[in-house]
Amino acid sequence: MMMGSGQRGGFRALVALLLAFFPAFIQAQNPAASTFYLEETETQFSLNLANDSSGDVFIYFASPAYSWVGVGFGDGMKNSLMFVMYPNQKGDNVTISPRTADGHSEPSFTSKPQISLLNGTRVTDDGMFVLRARCSDCRVWQGGFLDAKNTAHPMLYAFGPGNRLQSNDVNAPLHRHIRYGKFTMNMVAATGEGAVPANTTASNGVQMVGGMTRDHDRANLAHAVMGCLALFVFWPLNVIFAGFFRNIKIHVGVSVFIMVFLVSAYGLGISTSSEYNRSKSFTSPHQILAFLTILPILLTALLPVKPVSHIHALLPRIHTPLTTLTFVFLVLTGGLGLHLYAAPTSIILAYTAISLLVFIFNVLLQTCIKRRGSAYARATLRRRLGEEDEQDLVLAQYYANRKLEDERSRSPSAASSEYHQHARSLSGGAGGAAGGSSPPGRGGMFGGGSMPGPQYLLNMHPGVPWRPGA
């Protein structure tokens, strides 16, 4: 069937109309956006800048459910504006927290940007965070601004550790990131009619700056490890050295070693406190008790010093109870530190069990030492009384036994000859002094000389008669 000229003209007009509205339709479905997509983690952050007078910024943010994940505007953490996302209390939706940082430390919540969650914001069944939001008044913030004319705006991203974080609080404490990196984003390409960008796996208007960097919280780890070694390894060893070793220098040396570990742990804890909002002001129970424990630590170290111990006779006696009190304070301080760090429950239970075992071990040892006295105290008391040292007595007995064994190992003839020679020397010496030799039967050991012989001694014992020549 042939189409008339009028029909052909109407058809051309319809096609032209559709072609005119098709780009607008496509743009409405896929608004202007710059997209950052990280294939390693399947993380997408897309940005749309509304070109109207509202100045709104539309965000599509999706990522696997780490404890938290964040993307920010800036070349570094200082003076940057970051959007940090983590699951809510129920775990079925997300909490979005705009934050700023004044350095390389945990960012703090800022209330200036107003974020409205839109339909589609959720935690998916396969554990993905999905955020669809409109941000008002977020192009300028304290210390920085979003440059809509910049084709390579500096950006950064970071991922929290695997620890579970579920909170509705926009001020929720964050663990230090385990991975982070940088990229640039084309803000000109992101500018257009305001709408939430679409889900995609293709980057657009983004240039990566280096690779993803793995981070380590070594200072906090060293702080915990050094404190645990001092309490659970060197402390009970020092109790053993103090009670069962006479050389007091070993106890003193290990005590100094423990002090070095504790001072290092204190220094590391103070240096890392500025990295977290919950510890910047030094008002947490962990920090307060740690500072209070410094006093018994110093007293424990100073009481054994002679000028201090001689002030009063009771001072040396409180050294042992004070060490027990110091140990308890330090263990409680460590437990509060685990709570402050939001450590996993398994770590807290293991710490509690080890603390109880070491405490019981120390108490039993100290009770035993108190009853029998320390080896050093016993040795000191013997020296004051002028008695021989226990070790000297053992050595003397050892040499006496050796001499006796040597005498017994000789031949009987040699021993008998030596014995009679010794006897004749005794009797001969006495007879020589009298001026003559002794008669037979009256010399040697059977009398003679100036000393009474065994005959006289036998007569002194009733019931044992003596006969001459017997």
Side-chain angles (χ1 to χ4, degrees), residues 69-137:
V69 58
V71 175
F73 303 95
D75 188 48
M77 294 188 66
K78 185 176 182 180
N79 297 328
S80 63
L81 173 64
M82 289 165 275
F83 297 104
V84 180
M85 183 169 57
Y86 43 88
N88 66 358
Q89 185 66 45
K90 293 183 179 180
D92 60 353
N93 212 327
V94 300
T95 299
I96 183 68
S97 174
R99 302 192 178 206
T100 58
D102 55 5
H104 193 71
S105 59
E106 180 186 359
S108 304
F109 171 74
T110 175
S111 59
K112 187 177 185 296
Q114 301 297 316
I115 298 181
S116 302
L117 302 183
L118 304 178
N119 290 336
T121 299
R122 67 193 187 282
V123 176
T124 65
D125 294 337
D126 56 352
M128 290 285 291
F129 295 149
V130 177
L131 171 69
R132 301 179 79 253
R134 180 179 68 248
C135 182
S136 302
D137 198 18

Side-chain angles (χ1 to χ4, degrees), residues 413-431:
S413 58
S416 176
S417 174
E418 182 180 351
Y419 176 78
H420 288 294
Q421 181 179 0
H422 178 65
R424 283 194 300 271
S425 65
L426 289 176
S427 61

Side-chain angles (χ1 to χ4, degrees), residues 5-186:
S5 61
Q7 291 177 329
R8 289 195 297 271
F11 180 75
R12 293 191 186 99
L14 179 61
V15 172
L17 184 63
L18 291 174
L19 292 175
F21 280 97
F22 186 73
F25 176 78
I26 295 298
Q27 184 177 6
Q29 295 298 316
N30 297 291
S34 286
T35 298
F36 162 73
Y37 183 77
L38 189 63
E39 187 175 358
E40 293 93 325
T41 60
E42 300 180 355
T43 298
Q44 177 192 347
F45 180 79
S46 297
L47 206 63
N48 168 268
L49 307 182
N51 56 5
D52 55 25
S53 59
S54 67
D56 290 343
V57 176
F58 291 86
I59 300 171
Y60 182 89
F61 195 1
S63 181
Y66 295 93
S67 59
W68 61 266
V69 58
V71 175
F73 303 95
D75 188 48
M77 294 188 66
K78 185 176 182 180
N79 297 328
S80 63
L81 173 64
M82 289 165 275
F83 297 104
V84 180
M85 183 169 57
Y86 43 88
N88 66 358
Q89 185 66 45
K90 293 183 179 180
D92 60 353
N93 212 327
V94 300
T95 299
I96 183 68
S97 174
R99 302 192 178 206
T100 58
D102 55 5
H104 193 71
S105 59
E106 180 186 359
S108 304
F109 171 74
T110 175
S111 59
K112 187 177 185 296
Q114 301 297 316
I115 298 181
S116 302
L117 302 183
L118 304 178
N119 290 336
T121 299
R122 67 193 187 282
V123 176
T124 65
D125 294 337
D126 56 352
M128 290 285 291
F129 295 149
V130 177
L131 171 69
R132 301 179 79 253
R134 180 179 68 248
C135 182
S136 302
D137 198 18
C138 63
R139 296 200 183 194
V140 179
W141 59 91
Q142 184 178 359
F145 66 96
L146 192 159
D147 185 3
K149 303 298 182 182
N150 195 339
T151 59
H153 198 290
M155 304 286 290
L156 49 87
Y157 65 93
F159 300 99
N163 306 61
R164 191 66 176 170
L165 170 62
Q166 293 186 194
S167 177
N168 297 331
D169 186 5
V170 291
N171 286 295
L174 305 178
H175 283 277
R176 184 182 175 117
H177 46 58
I178 59 170
R179 291 180 177 87
Y180 64 93
K182 296 181 180 181
F183 62 97
T184 62
M185 179 170 278
N186 188 341

Side-chain angles (χ1 to χ4, degrees), residues 137-406:
D137 198 18
C138 63
R139 296 200 183 194
V140 179
W141 59 91
Q142 184 178 359
F145 66 96
L146 192 159
D147 185 3
K149 303 298 182 182
N150 195 339
T151 59
H153 198 290
M155 304 286 290
L156 49 87
Y157 65 93
F159 300 99
N163 306 61
R164 191 66 176 170
L165 170 62
Q166 293 186 194
S167 177
N168 297 331
D169 186 5
V170 291
N171 286 295
L174 305 178
H175 283 277
R176 184 182 175 117
H177 46 58
I178 59 170
R179 291 180 177 87
Y180 64 93
K182 296 181 180 181
F183 62 97
T184 62
M185 179 170 278
N186 188 341
M187 296 301 169
V188 175
T191 303
E193 184 178 352
V196 177
N199 178 20
T200 181
T201 59
S203 293
N204 178 53
V206 166
Q207 183 69 40
M208 299 299 295
V209 180
M212 185 164 51
T213 303
R214 183 173 180 84
D215 192 23
H216 300 276
D217 197 1
R218 293 188 177 92
N220 260 322
L221 179 61
H223 167 68
V225 169
M226 296 191 76
C228 289
L229 285 176
L231 289 177
F232 303 141
V233 177
F234 300 120
W235 199 288
L237 284 177
N238 204 24
V239 175
I240 295 175
F241 293 146
F244 302 100
F245 284 70
R246 290 186 309 143
N247 190 348
I248 195 64
K249 293 181 180 179
I250 299 177
H251 171 59
V252 174
V254 177
S255 299
V256 172
F257 199 63
I258 293 174
M259 288 296 295
V260 170
F261 266 65
L262 291 177
V263 170
S264 300
Y266 267 82
L268 289 169
I270 293 172
S271 65
T272 58
S273 294
S274 60
E275 296 182 2
Y276 302 95
N277 296 331
R278 53 194 178 275
S279 57
K280 286 181 179 179
S281 58
F282 292 92
T283 56
S284 67
H286 167 68
Q287 294 165 308
I288 293 174
L289 185 58
F291 288 130
L292 291 176
T293 309
I294 292 177
L295 179 59
I297 290 175
L298 291 177
L299 290 176
T300 303
L302 292 176
L303 281 180
V305 179
K306 289 184 178 180
V308 178
S309 61
H310 291 170
I311 295 177
H312 196 279
L314 292 177
L315 289 180
R317 299 180 182 178
I318 66 175
H319 175 70
T320 299
L322 191 59
T323 57
T324 303
L325 180 65
T326 304
F327 179 83
V328 172
F329 278 7
L330 288 173
V331 167
L332 292 176
T333 301
L336 291 172
L338 292 176
H339 177 73
L340 178 65
Y341 191 70
T345 304
S346 57
I347 299 296
I348 296 177
L349 291 177
Y351 178 86
T352 303
I354 294 173
S355 300
L356 290 174
L357 289 175
V358 174
F359 175 77
I360 294 172
F361 178 78
N362 288 342
V363 170
L364 291 176
L365 275 182
Q366 289 172 350
T367 302
C368 177
I369 294 169
K370 182 178 180 181
R371 289 180 177 179
R372 70 188 294 271
S374 67
Y376 172 75
R378 296 197 309 271
T380 303
L381 180 61
R382 285 193 298 270
R383 286 194 294 269
R384 289 178 179 176
L385 297 176
E387 297 178 357
E388 291 189 66
D389 191 86
E390 182 180 351
Q391 183 175 352
D392 296 337
L393 291 173
V394 172
L395 290 175
Q397 182 66 34
Y398 170 76
Y399 287 119
N401 292 337
R402 286 290 302 272
K403 185 177 180 180
L404 182 60
E405 291 177 1
D406 291 343

